[in-house]
């Protein structure tokens, strides 16, 4: 088989799996789970095969043609896609295996695994897409699979509401995304990534700030950036493995992947907006994470914050790098934003999936307890989960020599070199990250158990622990770009690296923020059943909680007081004015005089028709002379 | 190449009519129902047959399967001329599929006086096949009337709440719309000087000698208004939610799904190629009316609905706004998008009306506030309903997506501002669609529904209900995954653009 056929197979396998489950395995959850997991294993295998093979290719098939407009489904398999494919494949397989154990007793297992397969199909479509229309198609489909999986326990009100909110928030972002695609199509005559890059090389690309910003709207929705971040914390209503796969490692990272794909369309003004959006999200979410008591909510806000990091990294843009070759010094412009963002995306996928699955292991062990203040002492009860989770925490706070340390430093360096204000925001965020993660770690795992559930906690079976092990290994080694085969060099060569005095500054900053945050957390939080911050500084705690809910309150106000009232008002006009008055023969005046409108007209068909015709004639005359 | 020994189009039209006649002549009920399967099945099979063979069939004047039958009215230029081009083929197929699904649903519905109900539906079905197979404008119009009259009767007799008022309102509006468009068509006939209702002949004559601009403006306006009423353009749409709310489900499926498309079809097949200057003249007012009225105002009105069936009715009005926008854009892409949307909307709205009725049979109410948690008791119904909802809000994988996407792309060239307003509709439709799905199916049951469920045990969708729903869903997904199945024929017919002179380039 050629590599293209492999790629096609990878894309279609999960679709076939989902179709078989939907059609035949609705009542056979066990077979469905095995089929879906086997598919995920095949995807992971083919993903590695495709990525490690040096063959990079693109191909495209026409899918629809009307006039001059052609829409293609195609594959653009370069190093960027290869890296993303491997991430989706590995994390996808880990999550499938974990789900075998975690969802073992679920009544609707078939629906769950079918949903996972649809998700894999949709996500792989985004990875392979060679043009924006195709990306948009799969973009919508991941939104749908996310809806499906968040709503897994649909008999409860909260998942039903959360799934709806997630889809609508994404739709708001997609409103801009779609307009951006259409605008790009008419401006440049193509939305194919390769053709856009060719046009950029020959300076034939239309320079526009609107296009990249509209496209960025899509990333704001999917990657949950301010102000559309509200759906992601609520999405934690879905099963925990789903949170790991979709709402931490892959789908929410699709926004960053998309930005890297359209890097050639970027202009400085757009990048500035993107940079500040990311930085603001990073800081905002880190502040919210401090006051969470639900283990998954802490991780959700942490994900938001890290996504903000990636978006900010992308927005920081390119870096001018000088290379000294003896007497010559030549300067190149490095697409460092892409490199740093994708690097952090990679390491984050590993350590955040690890922590989410770890939280799943904890929740499973504690019989569906999610409140960290009702846990405690789990280090002894669940040692394997404890060790792997600790590695995840160490990685995210930038503990030296773990994955997050390298990727976070790359971003901090890029910020240091390009924009000191953003550097300050990101450094502050890093302190907070260290604070809330160590807080979570200490309250959950150390001290004594604070509930029956925690004191009877137990480690899960092999299906729960094996994925943790795989991800823990990747968390430890994933930051060493040297270990990646050359096949990803198209991405990893773009990672900015500090040299000389810059290197020292970054390293010291990085260590300082980690120690500062972790030290504060260790000092502040004890193994208590209540939040120490809430005890010691209720004002601050209240302010942070208020900050967390501020957006939700705003949107709730909008929906209930603005949108709904506006809709009811229009509906009132519709019923009274249109249906009641105009329609009863444009005889508005008669209707007003009579008011008992309905009775007046029923049975007097001729009058009704005459009035109507008269109204039409008047409209007609008006229209003829006005247009 | 099709090798049938008979004319598939003629048989598709007259098979249901013949069955209807047989039922009218007093066929016993057992045989009536059995024969009704034939009456609904044959058009479907023949529609699928011509769809499959369209690409390889011989084409005359851009039409495949072209045949002519004398009617004795030849000196008036009226002849029964049947044929399909890339515009009518998708709608002919739509009529076959929706007709079959509506027929199956009607047969299992256990309606009172089932024989007469089926007879009227069969007449409607015959008329629908005729509308899209006719190349002659006279018969195009005649078949529409043939399908329309049973609708009024069915609403009046088998309708739900307010059926008398609804039937009357429906009759007045639709008759008025049909009358206005008839005046327009006659004006076209007279002004063209072709002395023929044959569309091919009309095109030839008008291409040789285009009508003067003022004439085009007036006739186009007349047609747009008449057809517009039939397609529920704002603010002349109020018959639609009311009428569909009252109509029995199979009649609503056939009318909202297929018959309503008559107006758009008329605009695309007749008005656009014959009256290009008329489109230029009217495109901006038409587009603004559609985007502000149908898409935005009706979109918000749909959000405000608390009655499931009303919501479906209003959402259908909203989606017709997109169709008008595609027509206003005028390019091959825009008009092709409208045809895709017509087919997609026809399938999805029929599916929605079917499922809404099935929901009602389990909840005994349409009030959204009195439902909840139905998914636990009826998972298949819930899965199909959610699929239909996502089809309606334009999720890729369903045919509707292609219609909306192509219309949006075409519309940008026409007016970026209108496009922005129109695309806002995709958020609005997500809001009302998902809200309704959540209210009906998810979360815990409301006390009202818990009470009803205790009195009337709720079962999942029976196979007799499932089958028509699955047929519609399969068609939506088939086109969704393989849009070329329709777009290739469409593209061949529409290129060069139906209103090439328009090009809608500003």
């Amino acid at each position: 088989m050629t590599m293209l056929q492999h790629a096609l197979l990878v894309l279609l396998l999960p679709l076939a799996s989902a179709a078989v489950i939907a059609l035949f395995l609705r009542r056979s959850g066990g077979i469905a789970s095995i089929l879906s997991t086997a598919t995920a294993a095949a995807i992971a295998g083919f993903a590695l095969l495709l990525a490690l093979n040096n063959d990079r290719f693109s191909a495209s098939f026409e899918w629809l043609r009307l006039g001059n407009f052609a829409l293609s489904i195609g594959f653009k398999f370069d190093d960027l896609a290869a890296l993303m494919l491997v991430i989706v494949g590995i994390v996808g397989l880990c999550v499938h295996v974990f789900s075998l154990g975690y969802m073992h007793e679920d009544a609707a297992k078939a629906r769950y695994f079918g949903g996972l397969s649809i998700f894999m199909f949709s996500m792989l479509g985004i990875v392979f897409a060679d043009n924006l229309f195709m990306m948009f198609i799969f973009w919508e489909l991941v939104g749908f699979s996310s809806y499906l999986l968040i709503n897994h326990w649909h008999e409860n009100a909260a998942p039903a509401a959360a799934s709806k909110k997630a889809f609508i928030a994404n739709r708001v972002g997609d409103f801009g995304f779609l307009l951006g695609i259409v605008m790009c199509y008419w401006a440049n005559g193509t939305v194919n990534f390769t053709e856009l890059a060719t046009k950029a090389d020959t300076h034939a690309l239309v320079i526009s700030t609107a296009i990249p910003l509209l496209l960025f709207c899509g990333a704001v929705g999917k990657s949950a950036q301010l102000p559309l971040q509200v759906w992601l914390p609520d999405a934690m209503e879905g099963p925990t493995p789903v949170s790991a796969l979709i709402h931490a490692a892959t789908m929410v990272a699709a926004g960053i992947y998309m930005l890297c794909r359209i890097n050639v369309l970027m202009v400085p003004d757009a990048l500035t907006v993107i940079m500040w959006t990311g930085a603001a999200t990073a800081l905002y979410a880190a502040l919210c994470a401090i006051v969470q008591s639900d283990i998954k909510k802490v991780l959700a806000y942490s994900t938001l914050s890290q996504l903000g990091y990636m978006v900010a990294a992308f927005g920081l843009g390119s870096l001018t790098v000088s290379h000294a070759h003896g007497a010559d010094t030549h300067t190149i412009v490095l697409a460092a934003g892409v490199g740093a963002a994708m690097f952090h995306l990679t390491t984050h996928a590993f350590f955040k999936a690890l922590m989410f699955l770890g939280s799943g292991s904890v929740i499973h062990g504690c019989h569906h307890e999610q409140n960290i203040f009702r846990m405690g002492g789990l280090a002894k009860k669940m040692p394997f989960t404890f060790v792997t989770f600790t590695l995840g925490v160490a990685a995210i706070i930038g503990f030296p020599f773990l994955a997050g340390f390298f990727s976070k430093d790359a971003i901090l360096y890029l910020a240091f070199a390009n924009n000191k204000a953003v550097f300050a925001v990101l450094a502050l965020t890093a302190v907070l990250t260290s604070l809330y993660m160590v807080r979570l770690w200490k309250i959950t795992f150390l001290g004594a158990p604070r509930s029956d559930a925690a004191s009877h906690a137990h480690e899960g079976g092999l299906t729960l622990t094996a994925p943790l092990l795989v991800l823990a290994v990747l968390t430890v080694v994933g930051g060493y770009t040297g270990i990646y085969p050359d096949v990803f060099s198209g991405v990893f060569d773009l990672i900015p690296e500090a040299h000389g005095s810059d290197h020292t500054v970054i390293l010291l900053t990085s260590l300082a923020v980690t120690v500062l945050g972790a030290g504060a957390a260790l000092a502040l939080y004890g193994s208590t059943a209540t939040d120490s911050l809430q005890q010691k500084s209720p004002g601050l705690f209240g302010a942070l909680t208020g900050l967390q809910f501020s957006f939700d309150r705003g949107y709730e106000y909008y929906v209930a007081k603005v949108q709904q009232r506006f809709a009811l008002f229009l509906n009132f006009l519709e019923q009274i004015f249109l249906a009641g008055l105009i329609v009863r023969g444009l005889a508005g005046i008669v209707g007003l005089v009579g008011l008992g409108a309905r009775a007046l007209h029923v049975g007097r068909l001729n009058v009704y028709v005459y009035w109507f015709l008269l109204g039409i004639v008047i409209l007609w005359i008006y229209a003829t002379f006005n247009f | 190449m099709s090798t049938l020994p008979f004319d598939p189009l003629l048989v598709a039209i007259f098979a249901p009519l013949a069955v209807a006649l047989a039922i009218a002549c007093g066929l016993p009920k057992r045989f009536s129902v059995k024969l009704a399967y034939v009456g609904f099945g044959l058009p479907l099979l023949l529609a699928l047959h011509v769809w499959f063979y369209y690409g390889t069939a011989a084409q005359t004047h851009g039409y495949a399967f072209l045949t002519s039958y004398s009617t004795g009215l030849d000196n008036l230029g009226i002849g029964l001329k049947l044929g399909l081009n890339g515009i009518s083929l998708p709608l002919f197929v739509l009529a076959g599929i929706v007709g079959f699904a509506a027929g199956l649903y009607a047969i299992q519905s256990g309606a009172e006086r089932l024989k007469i109900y089926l007879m009227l539906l069969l007449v409607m079905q015959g008329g629908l096949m005729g509308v899209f197979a006719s190349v002659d404008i006279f018969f195009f119009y005649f078949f529409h009337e043939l399908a329309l009259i049973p609708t009024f009767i069915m609403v009046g007799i088998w309708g739900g709440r307010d059926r008398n008022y609804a039937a009357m309102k429906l009759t007045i509006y639709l008759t008025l719309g049909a009358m206005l468009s008839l005046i327009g068509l006659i004006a076209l006939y007279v002004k063209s000087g072709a002395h023929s209702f044959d569309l091919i002949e009309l095109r030839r004559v008008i291409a040789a000698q285009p009508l003067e601009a003022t004439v085009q403006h007036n006739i186009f306006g007349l047609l747009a208004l008449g057809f517009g009423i039939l397609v529920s353009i704002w603010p002349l749409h109020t018959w639609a939610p009311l009428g569909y709310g009252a109509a029995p489900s199979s009649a609503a499926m056939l009318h909202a799904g297929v018959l309503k498309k008559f107006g758009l079809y008329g605009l695309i097949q007749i008005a656009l190629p014959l009256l290009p200057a008329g489109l230029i003249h009217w495109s901006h007012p038409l587009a603004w009316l559609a985007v502000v009225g149908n898409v935005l105002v009706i979109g918000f009105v749909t959000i405000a609905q608390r009655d499931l069936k009303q919501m479906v009715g209003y959402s259908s009005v909203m989606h017709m706004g997109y169709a008008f926008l595609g027509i206003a854009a005028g390019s091959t892409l825009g008009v092709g998008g409208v045809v895709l949307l017509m087919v997609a909307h026809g399938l999805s709205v029929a599916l929605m009306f079917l499922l809404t009725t099935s929901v009602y049979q389990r909840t005994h109410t349409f009030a959204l506030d009195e439902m909840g948690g139905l998914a636990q008791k009826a998972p298949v119904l819930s899965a199909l309903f959610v699929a239909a909802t996502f089809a309606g809000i334009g999720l890729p994988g369903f045919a509707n997506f292609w219609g909306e996407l192509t219309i949006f792309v075409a519309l940008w060239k026409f007016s970026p501002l209108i496009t922005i307003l129109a695309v806002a509709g995709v958020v609005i439709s997500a809001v009302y669609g998902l809200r309704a799905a959540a209210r009906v199916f998810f979360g815990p049951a409301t006390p009202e529904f818990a009470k009803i469920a205790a009195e009337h045990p709720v079962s999942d969708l029976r196979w007799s209900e499932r089958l028509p729903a699955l047929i519609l869903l399969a068609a939506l997904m088939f086109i969704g995954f393989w849009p070329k199945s329709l777009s290739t024929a469409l593209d061949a017919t529409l290129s060069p653009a139906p209103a090439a002179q328009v090009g809608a380039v500003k």
Side-chain angles (χ1 to χ4, degrees):
Chain A
M1 281 204 295
T2 64
M3 284 299 137
L4 177 63
Q5 283 165 327
H6 279 130
L8 205 57
L9 191 66
V10 168
L11 182 63
L12 294 180
L13 268 178
L15 180 65
S17 159
V20 169
I21 292 173
L23 290 175
F24 307 114
L25 300 176
R26 224 165 48 78
R27 290 170 214 275
S28 332
I31 307 175
S33 61
I34 290 166
L35 175 67
S36 179
T37 309
T39 308
I43 292 169
F46 279 117
L48 286 171
L49 182 74
L50 277 165
L52 297 180
N53 190 305
N54 247 327
D55 200 7
R56 295 290 178 258
F57 54 86
S58 57
S60 150
F61 314 94
E62 196 173 279
W63 206 4
L64 170 103
R65 171 176 287 279
L66 281 173
N68 298 322
F69 176 81
L71 195 150
S72 300
I73 184 161
F75 293 84
K76 179 178 170 71
F77 195 68
D78 55 359
D79 289 359
L80 183 65
L83 178 64
M84 198 71 193
L85 180 65
V86 168
I87 296 169
V88 174
I90 292 177
V91 178
L93 178 59
C94 288
V95 166
H96 272 83
V97 173
F98 191 88
S99 300
L100 287 177
Y102 193 83
M103 302 298 283
H104 184 64
E105 282 161 12
D106 196 90
K109 209 153 68 161
R111 174 154 49 82
Y112 173 82
F113 278 96
L116 280 187
S117 281
I118 297 180
F119 170 75
M120 291 299 278
F121 166 67
S122 323
M123 189 67 212
L124 291 168
I126 292 181
V127 174
F128 284 127
D130 75 336
N131 67 75
L132 280 169
F133 280 119
M134 177 179 167
M135 188 174 261
F136 180 76
I137 286 169
F138 287 95
W139 193 263
E140 289 278 295
L141 287 177
V142 287
F144 166 70
S145 33
S146 162
Y147 170 87
L148 207 62
L149 288 162
I150 297 171
N151 201 8
H152 182 71
W153 291 308
H154 59 69
E155 59 277 12
N156 304 324
S163 59
K164 193 177 76 181
K165 186 170 173 182
F167 194 86
I168 290 170
N170 270 289
R171 265 275 159 121
V172 173
D174 292 350
F175 162 72
F177 190 31
L178 181 57
L179 286 174
I181 296 173
V182 172
M183 197 174 166
C184 178
Y185 172 78
W186 285 113
N188 294 307
T190 179
V191 288
N192 181 292
F193 299 128
T194 313
E195 286 171 22
L196 286 174
T198 315
K199 285 204 163 211
D201 289 342
T202 54
H203 302 285
L205 206 62
V206 172
I207 304 298
S208 153
T209 313
I211 293 174
L213 281 181
L214 283 170
L215 294 172
F216 176 60
C217 289
V220 169
K222 197 68 62 196
S223 293
Q225 298 297 295
L226 291 179
L228 294 180
Q229 83 292 1
V230 288
W231 68 269
L232 187 60
D234 287 24
M236 295 300 117
E237 293 293 342
T240 309
V242 167
S243 311
L245 178 62
I246 302 186
H247 305 122
T250 56
M251 182 186 88
V252 288
I256 286 96
Y257 179 74
M258 184 268 282
L259 289 177
C260 295
R261 270 279 181 247
I262 55 158
N263 193 27
V264 292
L265 294 175
M266 289 298 157
V267 295
D269 286 347
L271 282 173
T272 308
V273 173
I274 293 172
M275 175 182 75
W276 279 112
T277 306
T281 307
L283 183 61
Y284 166 81
L287 287 169
C288 296
I290 298 172
V291 291
Q292 302 305 311
S293 54
D294 180 321
I295 184 167
K296 287 184 71 183
K297 286 276 170 80
V298 181
L299 294 176
Y301 278 106
S302 153
T303 304
L304 278 181
S305 180
Q306 299 298 309
L307 289 168
Y309 244 81
M310 296 173 213
V311 169
F314 179 84
L316 283 162
S318 50
L319 195 62
T320 308
V321 185
S322 306
H323 282 289
H325 279 287
D328 299 336
T329 305
H330 67 263
T331 335
I332 56 160
V333 179
L334 189 70
V338 172
M342 281 307 293
F343 188 27
H344 198 57
L345 189 159
T346 310
T347 60
H348 176 259
F350 298 144
F351 64 67
K352 188 53 67 63
L354 170 65
M355 283 193 285
F356 258 116
L357 292 186
S359 78
S361 176
V362 166
I363 294 166
H364 185 262
C366 295
H367 304 284
H368 299 281
E369 178 59 68
Q370 294 190 199
N371 187 338
I372 53 173
F373 293 105
R374 296 177 53 76
M375 296 180 182
L378 295 181
K380 291 194 193 71
K381 305 280 179 190
M382 308 178 71
F384 185 79
T385 304
F386 171 65
V387 171
T388 50
F389 198 94
T390 306
L391 285 170
V393 171
I396 196 178
I397 67 176
F399 193 81
F401 313 118
L402 291 176
F405 171 72
F406 298 102
S407 55
K408 189 179 275 186
D409 278 8
I411 294 175
L412 284 175
Y413 166 61
L414 185 59
F416 185 72
N418 280 4
N419 191 318
K420 292 286 191 296
V422 170
F423 173 74
V425 173
L426 293 183
L428 176 60
T429 305
V431 178
L432 297 172
T433 306
S434 188
L435 173 76
Y436 68 72
M437 285 315 301
V438 173
R439 163 185 179 269
L440 169 71
W441 175 80
K442 187 176 176 189
I443 294 173
T444 306
F445 289 101
L446 303 188
R450 287 181 299 272
S451 69
D452 275 356
S455 50
H456 295 106
H458 57 89
E459 202 74 77
L462 190 64
T463 49
L464 296 190
T465 48
L468 293 181
L469 182 66
V470 173
L471 291 169
V473 170
L474 289 168
T475 297
V476 174
V477 303
Y480 297 91
T481 49
I483 68 146
Y484 292 95
D486 284 343
V487 293
F488 301 125
S489 57
V491 180
F492 286 138
D493 285 353
L494 302 176
I495 299 170
E497 280 176 53
H499 297 284
S501 63
D502 284 353
H503 184 66
T504 322
V505 171
I506 296 302
L507 192 65
L508 288 177
T509 313
S510 171
L511 289 176
V513 297
T514 305
V515 172
L516 199 63
L522 289 172
L524 180 62
Y525 294 97
S527 182
T528 52
T530 49
D531 195 306
S532 306
L533 184 67
Q534 195 173 13
Q535 305 260 296
K536 287 173 189 159
S537 176
L540 180 60
F541 188 88
L544 289 176
T545 315
L547 183 68
Q548 178 204 337
F549 287 116
S550 56
F551 282 88
D552 278 313
R553 292 218 177 95
Y555 291 133
E556 272 158 27
Y557 180 85
Y558 164 76
V559 169
K561 297 284 156 68
V562 182
Q563 180 186 297
Q564 192 63 16
R565 281 185 186 176
F566 184 59
L568 288 172
F569 172 69
L570 284 179
N571 191 40
F572 174 78
L573 290 184
E574 159 91 13
Q575 305 306 335
I576 297 302
F577 195 61
L578 280 183
L581 300 180
I582 295 188
V583 163
R584 280 154 207 273
L586 276 172
I589 303 152
V590 181
L592 270 178
V593 175
L595 264 181
R598 187 173 294 191
L600 196 69
H601 289 290
V602 173
R604 288 171 63 188
L605 211 62
N606 49 347
V607 179
Y608 195 170
V609 172
Y610 288 139
W611 276 112
F612 203 128
L613 279 174
L614 182 65
I616 296 293
V617 169
I618 292 165
L619 265 180
W620 189 259
I621 293 164
Y622 174 80
T624 312
F625 290 101
N626 274 279
F627 293 119
Chain B
M1 177 64 208
S2 162
T3 50
L4 292 176
F6 53 86
D7 177 6
L9 305 185
L10 192 70
V11 175
I13 298 168
F14 286 101
L17 294 180
V19 174
L21 187 67
I23 296 175
C25 291
L27 203 65
K29 191 175 170 188
R30 292 182 290 141
F31 297 118
S32 296
V33 170
K34 284 205 178 108
L35 212 55
Y37 281 111
V38 178
F40 291 113
L42 215 49
L44 172 70
L45 292 177
L46 292 170
L48 294 177
H49 175 87
V50 296
W51 191 12
F52 188 77
Y53 285 108
Y54 180 85
T56 51
Q59 303 241 346
T60 325
H61 306 295
Y63 282 86
F65 308 103
L66 194 65
T67 46
S68 221
Y69 303 89
S70 177
T71 52
L73 296 169
D74 295 341
N75 53 346
L76 282 173
I78 298 171
L80 179 56
K81 197 166 201 176
L82 302 177
L84 293 175
N85 66 2
I87 302 168
S88 49
L89 172 78
L91 294 158
F92 189 75
V93 174
L94 170 75
I97 298 172
V98 174
F100 185 65
L104 285 187
Y105 200 69
I107 289 170
Q108 67 82 45
S109 70
E112 286 174 40
R113 286 178 278 183
L114 183 66
K115 266 177 63 178
I116 307 176
Y117 186 53
L118 289 178
M119 183 193 85
L120 290 169
L121 264 184
L122 282 162
V123 172
M124 215 174 155
Q125 175 70 3
L128 288 172
M129 302 311 284
V131 166
F132 299 116
S134 295
V135 182
D136 185 279
I137 293 181
F138 176 83
F139 275 98
F140 157 78
Y141 191 83
F142 168 79
F143 281 122
H144 172 255
E145 293 298 297
L146 188 65
L148 194 56
I149 292 162
T151 319
F152 302 146
I153 302 172
M154 279 191 277
V155 173
I157 297 179
W158 286 272
R161 286 178 304 205
D162 295 339
R163 62 171 175 248
N164 291 326
Y165 178 59
M168 189 190 75
K169 192 161 171 178
L170 206 64
T171 310
I172 290 169
Y173 263 87
L174 297 184
T175 309
L176 190 77
M179 269 166 51
L180 289 170
S181 44
L182 182 64
I183 297 168
L185 293 176
I186 291 173
L188 192 62
Y189 170 79
V190 173
K191 289 288 179 185
S192 72
H195 300 293
S196 172
F197 280 102
D198 178 356
L199 198 51
I200 298 170
E201 177 67 9
L202 271 172
R203 279 204 199 105
R204 193 186 59 76
V205 170
I206 288 179
Q209 194 177 11
L211 299 172
E212 52 183 298
T214 337
V215 175
Q216 288 202 32
H217 296 174
N218 284 327
I219 298 180
F220 189 93
L222 208 52
L223 288 176
L225 181 66
F227 286 140
I229 295 176
L230 296 178
V231 193
S232 68
I233 189 151
W234 191 87
L236 301 170
H237 64 280
T238 50
W239 60 269
L242 182 77
Y244 295 144
S249 42
S250 290
M253 286 167 73
L254 270 185
H255 191 280
V258 192
L259 190 56
K260 200 185 188 184
K261 309 296 182 290
F262 165 81
L264 294 168
Y265 176 72
L267 283 177
I268 293 174
Q269 190 80 284
I270 300 169
L272 258 52
L274 300 186
L275 307 162
L279 176 66
I280 300 180
H281 186 69
W282 289 98
S283 60
H284 279 273
L286 182 68
W288 279 108
L289 210 56
V291 76
V292 175
N294 285 62
V295 175
L296 296 177
V297 171
I298 295 303
F300 277 105
V301 170
T302 312
I303 290 180
Q305 298 310 308
R306 288 184 178 151
D307 176 296
L308 181 60
K309 210 169 180 187
Q310 292 289 311
M311 194 214 81
V312 177
Y314 273 108
S315 77
S316 163
V317 175
M318 176 187 173
H319 285 120
M320 288 303 100
Y322 293 135
F324 286 113
L325 288 170
I327 288 178
S331 55
T332 301
L333 182 59
V335 175
V338 177
V339 177
L340 291 176
L341 187 72
M342 282 156 78
V343 174
H345 175 265
L347 293 167
S348 65
V349 83
L351 180 58
M352 212 60 185
F353 276 121
L354 185 163
L355 294 170
T356 303
T357 304
S358 289
V359 167
Y360 179 80
Q361 286 163 359
R362 287 157 180 81
T363 58
H364 299 266
T365 178
F366 283 122
L368 286 168
D369 297 335
E370 297 172 14
M371 301 190 192
L374 190 56
Q376 294 161 57
K377 301 210 159 71
V380 174
L381 174 59
S382 130
L384 289 172
F385 192 95
V386 169
T389 303
F390 274 101
I393 65 183
L395 189 78
F398 297 103
N400 309 55
F401 170 76
W402 296 112
E404 289 185 14
L405 180 79
T406 46
I407 288 170
F408 291 150
V409 176
L411 199 56
W412 184 274
K413 192 85 178 169
F414 175 72
S415 160
L417 177 61
I418 291 177
T419 314
I420 293 168
L421 295 175
V423 175
V426 303
V427 181
I428 295 176
S429 48
V431 170
Y432 66 68
L434 296 186
R435 183 184 284 185
R439 287 259 176 90
V440 179
F441 291 101
F442 306 134
T446 54
E448 291 92 340
F449 177 56
K451 193 158 156 260
I452 287 167
E455 287 165 13
H456 312 273
V458 175
S459 61
D460 204 349
L461 220 51
R462 281 171 286 117
W463 268 104
S464 55
E465 299 169 274
R466 234 181 254 191
L467 191 65
L470 285 174
I471 290 170
L472 293 168
L473 188 65
L476 277 171
M477 294 186 71
F478 177 76
I479 301 167
F481 276 79
W482 193 28
K484 275 204 161 186
S485 57
L486 295 180
S487 71
T488 306
L490 254 179
D491 188 38
T493 298
L494 287 175
S495 303
Q501 300 90 321
V502 185
V505 187
K506 293 271 161 177

